Amino acid sequence: MVHEILPVGMLQCNCSIFGDEASGDALVVDPGDNLAKIEAVLARHGLHVKAIVITHAHIDHIGGAHKLHASTGAPVYMNFNDQGLYDHIDVQAQWLGVPTPQKTAIDVNAREGESVKLGAPERQIEFQVLDTPGHTPGSISVWIPAENKLVAGDTLFLDSIGRTDLPGGDSQQILRSIHDKLLPLDDAVVVIPGHGASTTIGRERRRNPFLQGM
Ligand SMILES: [Zn+2]
């Protein structure tokens, strides 16, 4: 499976592009900005986007969703608990001093139990939604068992966790999400955070200062 991680935009959000080589189906997580860069990667691998998944409605993760939806027609998945944040994306844009991006409709409520499958029926790769609220009310992570990878959005980082001081953040809730949904995963699972370097569940279990004594 193709997997490219592109840091996009002013805040260098990690946009993940997953592609099934056999079918050409792709899934894009968090197209925050730099659509030309994202589309160049899709073209280079001959991929067509089947789904756009947003881990949470912060502008650096969702800013390019409208453009990618308009150019591909792919449905946009986001947890409806972040709709309020998305409705006020103009406020987020003002904080950062950037233009307000055009908004897209959210087609599917990305909540636990929901998944996206890529590839031919007999050899499908499944992307499963995990509810991991706390950084925002509708924050999700994407668990890909066949790849042993977790796209964590801004819930878990190398040596850190997501900030909870922005509107809708909840410091107890993010720790509960990590404890209940992420730490049960195997130590070998590769974690792709919303910003910065990749890590593993095992490394964060042992070394992340926010997770000690859990
Ligand atoms: Zn965020």
PDB file of all heavy atoms in Angstrom, residues 56 58 60-61 135 154, ligand 1:
ATOM      1  N   HIS A  56     -10.305  16.052  12.865  1.00  0.00           N
ATOM      2  CA  HIS A  56     -11.019  17.041  13.687  1.00  0.00           C
ATOM      3  C   HIS A  56     -11.075  18.352  12.926  1.00  0.00           C
ATOM      4  O   HIS A  56     -10.328  18.566  11.971  1.00  0.00           O
ATOM      5  CB  HIS A  56     -10.375  17.205  15.063  1.00  0.00           C
ATOM      6  CG  HIS A  56      -8.980  17.749  15.044  1.00  0.00           C
ATOM      7  ND1 HIS A  56      -7.901  17.038  14.581  1.00  0.00           N
ATOM      8  CD2 HIS A  56      -8.488  18.956  15.437  1.00  0.00           C
ATOM      9  CE1 HIS A  56      -6.813  17.763  14.693  1.00  0.00           C
ATOM     10  NE2 HIS A  56      -7.130  18.942  15.193  1.00  0.00           N
ATOM     11  N   HIS A  58     -10.167  21.429  13.189  1.00  0.00           N
ATOM     12  CA  HIS A  58      -9.258  22.576  13.213  1.00  0.00           C
ATOM     13  C   HIS A  58      -8.808  22.902  11.790  1.00  0.00           C
ATOM     14  O   HIS A  58      -8.585  22.009  10.977  1.00  0.00           O
ATOM     15  CB  HIS A  58      -8.053  22.302  14.130  1.00  0.00           C
ATOM     16  CG  HIS A  58      -8.393  22.469  15.584  1.00  0.00           C
ATOM     17  ND1 HIS A  58      -7.718  21.825  16.589  1.00  0.00           N
ATOM     18  CD2 HIS A  58      -9.362  23.218  16.184  1.00  0.00           C
ATOM     19  CE1 HIS A  58      -8.251  22.181  17.757  1.00  0.00           C
ATOM     20  NE2 HIS A  58      -9.255  23.021  17.534  1.00  0.00           N
ATOM     21  N   ASP A  60      -6.189  23.780  10.303  1.00  0.00           N
ATOM     22  CA  ASP A  60      -4.971  23.233   9.691  1.00  0.00           C
ATOM     23  C   ASP A  60      -5.177  21.799   9.205  1.00  0.00           C
ATOM     24  O   ASP A  60      -4.389  21.300   8.406  1.00  0.00           O
ATOM     25  CB  ASP A  60      -3.766  23.331  10.640  1.00  0.00           C
ATOM     26  CG  ASP A  60      -4.023  22.782  12.039  1.00  0.00           C
ATOM     27  OD1 ASP A  60      -5.160  22.916  12.550  1.00  0.00           O
ATOM     28  OD2 ASP A  60      -3.087  22.219  12.622  1.00  0.00           O
ATOM     29  N   HIS A  61      -6.249  21.131   9.668  1.00  0.00           N
ATOM     30  CA  HIS A  61      -6.546  19.756   9.244  1.00  0.00           C
ATOM     31  C   HIS A  61      -7.637  19.695   8.176  1.00  0.00           C
ATOM     32  O   HIS A  61      -7.670  18.779   7.367  1.00  0.00           O
ATOM     33  CB  HIS A  61      -6.961  18.915  10.461  1.00  0.00           C
ATOM     34  CG  HIS A  61      -5.854  18.757  11.452  1.00  0.00           C
ATOM     35  ND1 HIS A  61      -5.110  17.608  11.565  1.00  0.00           N
ATOM     36  CD2 HIS A  61      -5.314  19.650  12.330  1.00  0.00           C
ATOM     37  CE1 HIS A  61      -4.176  17.789  12.489  1.00  0.00           C
ATOM     38  NE2 HIS A  61      -4.276  19.010  12.972  1.00  0.00           N
ATOM     39  N   HIS A 135      -9.152  16.563  22.483  1.00  0.00           N
ATOM     40  CA  HIS A 135      -8.534  17.725  21.819  1.00  0.00           C
ATOM     41  C   HIS A 135      -9.643  18.618  21.262  1.00  0.00           C
ATOM     42  O   HIS A 135      -9.596  19.839  21.385  1.00  0.00           O
ATOM     43  CB  HIS A 135      -7.593  17.239  20.728  1.00  0.00           C
ATOM     44  CG  HIS A 135      -6.989  18.327  19.894  1.00  0.00           C
ATOM     45  ND1 HIS A 135      -6.148  19.284  20.414  1.00  0.00           N
ATOM     46  CD2 HIS A 135      -7.113  18.616  18.573  1.00  0.00           C
ATOM     47  CE1 HIS A 135      -5.791  20.123  19.439  1.00  0.00           C
ATOM     48  NE2 HIS A 135      -6.361  19.738  18.319  1.00  0.00           N
ATOM     49  N   ASP A 154      -4.672  15.055  16.349  1.00  0.00           N
ATOM     50  CA  ASP A 154      -3.956  15.785  17.406  1.00  0.00           C
ATOM     51  C   ASP A 154      -4.244  15.195  18.785  1.00  0.00           C
ATOM     52  O   ASP A 154      -4.252  15.906  19.790  1.00  0.00           O
ATOM     53  CB  ASP A 154      -4.341  17.271  17.380  1.00  0.00           C
ATOM     54  CG  ASP A 154      -3.682  18.012  16.223  1.00  0.00           C
ATOM     55  OD1 ASP A 154      -2.900  17.388  15.480  1.00  0.00           O
ATOM     56  OD2 ASP A 154      -3.959  19.217  16.067  1.00  0.00           O
TER      57      ASP A 154
HETATM   58 ZN    ZN B   1      -5.976  20.454  16.263  1.00  0.00          ZN
END
